[in-house]
Amino acid sequence: MSETTRKFFDALERHGHERVLKKTNGTIRFDLEHDHEVDHWFVEICGGAVRVSQRNSDADAVIRADSAFFDRMVRGEAKPLPAWLRNEITSEGQFRFIVLLERLFAPPPGARHPRALARDPGGRR
């Protein structure tokens, strides 16, 4: 398992509560493939509270990806929804969790929030 993946899930667990997930309840299992093995990451979301484990349990959604590609999503180099459309990740179960992933992963490198850009007079074009 890559250090990037471990840090992502550790940070998710450590943070514990994600404001953007306050109306979300459900479970997601990530099956990350590498070297003919599969690492499982199980994420439970209950009203914004997030718990992470490595158990291989049934979930509301199961997302499968190559471990190296998952690292790219963690770094913001790839986005989950377009990756799903290109079949770079696959899923079973509730589709709403694919959309939800957009909120959990880093923005693309160099990206700025539109409000921050609007407040910065030097950033306008």
Side-chain angles (χ1 to χ4, degrees), residues 70-80 105-109 111:
F70 187 82
D71 286 349
R72 290 185 55 219
M73 288 196 303
V74 168
R75 291 189 299 265
E77 297 167 2
K79 300 299 282 174
F105 290 104

Side-chain angles (χ1 to χ4, degrees), residues 25-31 40-45 55-64 84 90-101:
N25 294 297
T27 55
I28 308 169
R29 189 182 77 222
F30 294 88
D31 292 346
H40 303 283
W41 290 92
F42 191 81
V43 178
E44 298 173 84
I45 305 166
R55 70 180 199 240
N56 181 9
S57 297
D58 290 339
D60 297 319
V62 177
I63 297 168
R64 290 181 183 83
W84 179 80
T90 61
S91 68
E92 293 177 12
Q94 297 181 21
F95 177 75
R96 67 186 177 107
F97 288 106
I98 294 290
V99 176
L100 176 81
L101 292 179

